[in-house]
Amino acid sequence: VEKKVKSPIFIAGDLIEKKGSFTWQWDNPALWDFGKGEMYSLNLTLKTVDGKIVDAQLPKKFGFREFYVQGKYFMLNGRKIHFFGEYFREYGRSFANVGPDAVKVFIKNFQDIGYNLIKFSIYDYNARLSYYPEEMVRAADKAGIAILFQLPRIRGHKATAAAWANWRKKITGIIKRWRDHPSIFFWSTDQGTGHFVEALNPRNFAG
């Protein structure tokens, strides 16, 4: 066990929409980095004041890293980095019937070539679909390789106001679902609706 923490006591009046939150200091955690998939597992338990367990969450994997833009440079954990990526267009079809071991081999092959970023083309994230990217993202977390995460797209020039509202609601849920994965560096809202010439316009990036 790396660290144990205890929240303050919450009473009904402290909650906002039945939710409570607290923070704590964590000095010098192991940082997630390229080729170093440092991960932690969070086990959260809800107890009464006298210590009786009321509920417990399944372990939640997460990692620490700091990624930001400084001037013209991408920065990861305080140093300049460059991305060398590959667009894996066939992710859905090729990985429809494979397990986690095959995904690990795929990622290792990418890393051996020299890539540190994978961009795959998936436009729906229904967990019932065979190409649901859970194994890919978990493996990327552990291997230390970045992902450009493709969100469901919307044809903006044809969409109604209701369609835009539904789209925003959908992608908000997806981002909340996946945002704790340290391998996810970018969220792409489209693969280039502007296409060709307009996609190169720096004032109107398409995705």
Side-chain angles (χ1 to χ4, degrees):
V1 176
E2 182 78 17
K3 184 180 288 289
K4 285 187 176 182
V5 296
K6 186 176 182 180
S7 76
I9 296 174
F10 290 103
I11 58 176
D14 297 329
L15 304 180
I16 300 175
E17 296 181 352
K18 298 182 180 180
K19 298 178 181 179
S21 64
F22 67 100
T23 61
W24 69 90
Q25 185 72 25
W26 191 329
D27 297 320
N28 301 318
L31 298 180
W32 187 99
D33 211 322
F34 291 142
K36 298 179 181 178
E38 298 285 355
M39 299 289 292
Y40 291 95
S41 182
L42 173 66
N43 295 275
L44 186 64
T45 304
L46 179 65
K47 298 181 179 180
T48 61
V49 175
D50 58 3
K52 181 181 178 181
I53 296 178
V54 177
D55 199 359
Q57 177 182 297
L58 292 173
K60 175 73 172 180
K61 292 286 187 180
F62 69 98
F64 289 103
R65 63 162 171 77
E66 185 179 28
F67 174 61
Y68 56 97
V69 176
Q70 182 173 292
K72 63 178 181 180
Y73 297 107
F74 289 121
M75 307 291 292
L76 177 62
N77 299 333
R79 74 180 194 284
K80 297 176 185 177
I81 61 169
H82 297 277
F83 288 102
F84 301 95
E86 176 58 47
Y87 175 32
F88 190 46
R89 184 182 181 90
E90 301 301 318
Y91 176 79
R93 301 187 190 95
S94 300
F95 277 65
N97 297 303
V98 302
D101 291 338
V103 175
K104 292 176 184 177
V105 171
F106 164 75
I107 288 179
K108 184 179 185 303
N109 289 340
F110 261 46
Q111 290 177 311
D112 288 345
I113 293 171
Y115 294 126
N116 59 13
L117 173 71
I118 299 173
K119 175 177 181 287
F120 47 77
S121 177
I122 305 177
Y123 294 100
D124 199 346
Y125 291 91
N126 189 327
R128 294 173 294 177
L129 299 177
S130 60
Y131 52 82
Y132 191 63
E134 183 75 40
E135 292 296 347
M136 172 68 83
V137 177
R138 286 181 180 177
D141 284 342
K142 294 179 181 178
I145 191 169
I147 287 177
L148 189 156
F149 198 97
Q150 175 64 46
L151 294 167
R153 60 184 171 181
I154 184 172
R155 298 298 186 183
H157 60 291
K158 297 181 180 180
T160 63
W164 274 107
N166 289 334
W167 177 76
R168 292 189 182 96
K169 181 179 180 180
K170 184 174 185 178
I171 66 170
T172 297
I174 290 173
I175 291 173
K176 287 182 177 179
R177 163 69 178 80
W178 294 89
R179 63 186 176 185
D180 289 330
H181 290 277
S183 60
I184 299 177
F185 277 63
F186 302 100
W187 306 94
S188 175
T189 55
D190 208 336
Q191 300 287 15
T193 300
H195 298 294
F196 303 113
V197 176
E198 191 57 26
L200 300 176
N201 184 347
R203 295 174 299 178
N204 188 30
F205 285 127

